[in-house]
Amino acid sequence: MPNGLTIRWATEADLNTLRNLMTLAIDRLQSSFLSPEQITASRAVMGLDTQLVRDGTYAVVEDSGNAVGCGGWSRRATLYGGDHSTALRNPALLEPGRNPARIRAMYTHPDHARRGIGRLILNHCEHAAASEGFTAVELMSTLSGQPLYVACGYQAQERCDADVDGVTVPLIRMSKPLIMS
């Protein structure tokens, strides 16, 4: 693990910590990419999906016991969004080998950005999805996340901006084949 980091699957006991980490990441890491209005609007389409925690597919990265990153994967059809974005929810199970698994809700604590945490989470989730027979993954990226995903082999498929009360939140659907050895 890079720099003594540990990774584990999140539990219900982590929910408040995860929400706090996400708020910091949304507010601070997007400030170079989005206007203050877009950051506020993005909260309507981002956030914690507790179904991922219940499914055992949401990871938390810790540094000396402190959460510094989180993210997950899903075998469900929901591509992005938190518990509060009900219009984006689709709990249907995906078919491994036919549908791509989803990479979901990736966040890094702003004080720990660009230290390999995102790559660690992606690798962990991609291996877990591949172990269940998925041959590809897809995700919905923010502008701030796109450089990481491109560096990790993801390709943009389409721009899918979200409109939140007249404010545009830029999003990019990206995908990657899973080739695990």
Side-chain angles (χ1 to χ4, degrees):
M1 292 280 151
N3 305 318
L5 299 173
T6 60
I7 190 167
R8 64 177 173 78
W9 296 116
T11 68
E12 300 272 334
D14 296 310
L15 294 180
N16 285 334
T17 298
L18 296 173
R19 285 185 187 99
N20 292 335
L21 191 153
M22 290 175 185
T23 298
L24 281 172
I26 290 169
D27 290 349
R28 290 180 40 201
L29 295 179
Q30 294 192 103
S31 64
S32 297
F33 298 88
L34 302 178
S35 70
E37 295 78 21
Q38 288 174 309
I39 292 171
T40 298
S42 70
R43 293 185 192 117
V45 294
M46 295 179 182
L48 182 60
D49 179 350
T50 54
Q51 182 67 59
L52 299 170
V53 175
R54 287 191 302 274
D55 286 347
T57 61
Y58 200 70
V60 59
V61 174
E62 295 176 320
D63 184 0
S64 302
N66 296 310
V68 295
C70 56
W73 76 278
S74 183
R75 59 182 75 83
R76 297 182 186 277
T78 300
L79 183 56
Y80 71 102
D83 289 342
H84 59 283
S85 46
T86 56
L88 300 172
R89 318 289 299 167
N90 183 348
L93 291 174
L94 300 168
E95 186 178 327
R98 181 169 180 247
N99 305 116
R102 311 298 198 226
I103 297 295
R104 302 279 316 281
M106 299 277 298
Y107 298 94
T108 301
H109 190 289
D111 295 340
H112 297 268
R114 291 164 193 64
R115 296 186 186 174
I117 293 167
R119 284 180 186 268
L120 177 64
I121 295 167
L122 279 175
N123 187 50
H124 189 70
C125 292
E126 289 170 1
H127 277 88
S131 74
E132 289 197 18
F134 287 94
T135 58
V137 287
E138 71 176 358
L139 57 82
M140 190 65 79
S141 176
T142 61
L143 294 180
S144 62
Q146 187 178 20
L148 167 67
Y149 302 131
V150 168
C152 292
Y154 286 77
Q155 294 185 350
Q157 300 302 314
E158 66 179 318
R159 185 80 180 249
C160 302
D161 296 346
D163 181 287
V164 179
D165 298 326
V167 177
T168 300
V169 178
L171 300 171
I172 305 105
R173 188 175 65 83
M174 303 182 79
S175 65
K176 174 184 175 178
L178 291 177
I179 304 167
M180 300 293 157
S181 49

